[in-house]
Amino acid sequence: MLKRIISLALALAMSVTAFADELAIKPDAPSRYTVAKGDTLWGIAGRYLSSPWQWPRLWRMNREQVRNPHWIYPGDVLALDYVNGQPRLSLASDAPREVKLSPQARVEELDQAIASIPAEAIEPFMVRPLIVNPEQFALGPKLVAGPDERLSLSPGDRVYASGVNETGSWQAYRLGKALVDPDSQQALGVEAVYGGDLVVDKLRADIQTLRIRSVAGEVLVGDRLVRAPKESFVNYVPHPAEDGMHGKIISSYQGVDGAAQYSTVAVNLGSAAGVEPGMVFGIFKKGGAIEIADAAGKKRQAQLPTEQAGKLFIYRVFDKVSYGLVLDSAGAIYVGDGIAPPDAE
């Protein structure tokens, strides 16, 4: 019995130590912090933790709270304390939030919960990257004519489509490059190229009239139309990818060569693999081969170790593909670089 008690005590002590080590509270972490407009969960987490993706542990969140967190708003005061030697962050009960309003300000804007990551970095991509099945895509509504003989269309143009059955906003797409798993060579889908936004003017049984609101690249006669999704900012709490989730970067959005901070990339893992918005992956670069010599001067080939080169925050997920934002990087990130849980060696 005594041996069992001792072993349980040692196990508990080891788990507490491991928990504290994982959190790695920064020595200059503030005991109290007032949330400001423009803050992000990732930025605030970085004030307290060397590993910001451990944010849910610091807040003592369970999995459902990670998916549906209690929001943090500008004006909230965060308090850091310790319970049984373990760090804990919470809203300060003695500091109710204050929202200062100017005559022209709107409450909704000042009182909006802060985003997980910089909203301006992903806003253009929240409703744009689209993975499609080519056969199904070809059956969708289609732009069939413009205002004249032009094939390329401009903002303000009145255009005509077939197959549009709802009023409201639509987006123009055309087929782009196929995404293929680099290891299995399995087709993961086709990335559709976003052209611009349109709004319905008139619905008719045979031909529908729309007006082009904006053009990102170009809108062409022949483009397929997709119902515009509602804009939604990623507000999952940053949390690490689960053990065993390993994949690769398979595309850099819009063909950027050498992605850097705040670039969007696609990876070969999606909802079928358990990936969800808010997951954080480490980006790993395989070391190159070098030639070394032993004490006798005999040369041989050696492989440099794989090194973590950045962090990736997943914000849009499809069945077999996800898009993520490069949050930081030590050098350029390329197609073929690996992804894994951020604490993986």
Side-chain angles (χ1 to χ4, degrees):
M1 177 64 72
L2 180 59
K3 288 183 178 180
R4 179 174 174 79
I5 292 174
I6 292 174
S7 63
L8 287 173
L10 287 173
L12 179 61
M14 290 175 65
S15 66
V16 170
T17 301
F19 184 86
D21 287 344
E22 284 182 14
L23 287 181
I25 298 295
K26 289 185 172 181
D28 59 347
S31 59
R32 291 169 74 88
Y33 178 75
T34 301
V35 179
K37 189 176 181 180
D39 275 343
T40 63
L41 287 181
W42 184 265
I44 296 175
R47 292 177 179 269
Y48 289 92
L49 300 167
S50 299
S51 302
W53 56 91
Q54 297 290 4
W55 186 243
R57 288 185 177 270
L58 187 59
W59 275 87
R60 309 291 175 87
M61 289 178 169
N62 60 37
R63 188 168 181 82
E64 284 309 308
Q65 288 171 324
V66 168
R67 289 174 171 156
N68 299 286
H70 298 294
W71 297 124
I72 301 174
Y73 296 85
D76 282 342
V77 177
L78 310 183
L80 177 66
D81 62 1
Y82 288 80
V83 178
N84 297 324
Q86 298 181 20
R88 179 187 65 181
L89 194 64
S90 58
L91 293 175
S93 58
D94 60 341
R97 185 190 340 145
E98 294 182 3
V99 179
K100 298 179 180 179
L101 301 176
S102 63
Q104 295 80 24
R106 289 166 48 189
V107 175
E108 308 93 273
E109 293 174 347
L110 288 176
D111 205 32
Q112 185 177 15
I114 64 173
S116 298
I117 52 179
E120 64 275 9
I122 63 169
E123 189 174 12
F125 305 104
M126 281 304 299
V127 295
R128 293 184 185 178
L130 186 66
I131 303 299
V132 299
N133 176 297
E135 290 76 19
Q136 294 177 348
F137 185 75
L139 300 176
K142 182 180 180 180
L143 279 180
V144 295
D148 46 40
E149 298 299 319
R150 289 179 294 123
L151 294 180
S152 182
L153 306 168
S154 305
D157 282 349
R158 179 174 290 180
V159 295
Y160 305 96
S162 64
V164 173
N165 56 7
E166 292 183 48
T167 59
S169 299
W170 292 73
Q171 293 178 325
Y173 284 91
R174 69 192 64 90
L175 288 180
K177 60 186 176 184
L179 298 181
V180 178
D181 187 286
D183 297 322
S184 68
Q185 297 304 305
Q186 177 190 11
L188 304 178
V190 175
E191 191 174 69
V193 178
Y194 168 78
D197 290 324
L198 305 90
V199 64
V200 173
D201 271 354
K202 293 181 181 179
L203 280 181
R204 300 184 183 88
D206 51 352
I207 297 295
Q208 300 84 47
T209 305
L210 298 90
R211 191 173 298 278
I212 297 178
R213 291 198 301 194
S214 64
V215 174
E218 58 180 352
V219 176
L220 305 174
V221 172
D223 283 353
R224 294 290 170 175
L225 298 178
V226 176
R227 195 78 168 92
K230 294 180 180 179
E231 291 186 14
S232 60
F233 292 103
V234 173
N235 38 31
Y236 275 9
V237 171
H239 55 288
E242 297 177 2
D243 291 342
M245 287 186 172
H246 296 268
K248 289 183 178 179
I249 293 174
I250 58 173
S251 175
S252 182
Y253 191 64
Q254 296 181 328
V256 176
D257 186 29
Q261 186 182 39
Y262 297 157
S263 295
T264 282
V265 297
V267 301
N268 62 340
L269 297 176
S271 58
V275 175
E276 61 185 16
M279 276 188 171
V280 178
F281 285 87
I283 302 171
F284 295 85
K285 301 183 80 69
K286 186 177 180 180
I290 60 171
E291 190 177 72
I292 60 175
D294 59 20
K298 186 177 181 180
K299 295 181 178 180
R300 63 182 178 86
Q301 292 290 314
Q303 187 79 31
L304 293 174
T306 297
E307 299 286 354
Q308 189 164 173
K311 303 292 184 299
L312 184 69
F313 183 100
I314 300 297
Y315 68 82
R316 195 164 188 205
V317 178
F318 296 91
D319 184 37
K320 298 178 182 178
V321 174
S322 298
Y323 287 91
L325 187 74
V326 178
L327 288 176
D328 58 70
S329 61
I333 303 299
Y334 292 99
V335 171
D337 287 346
I339 63 168
D343 289 323
E345 294 295 335

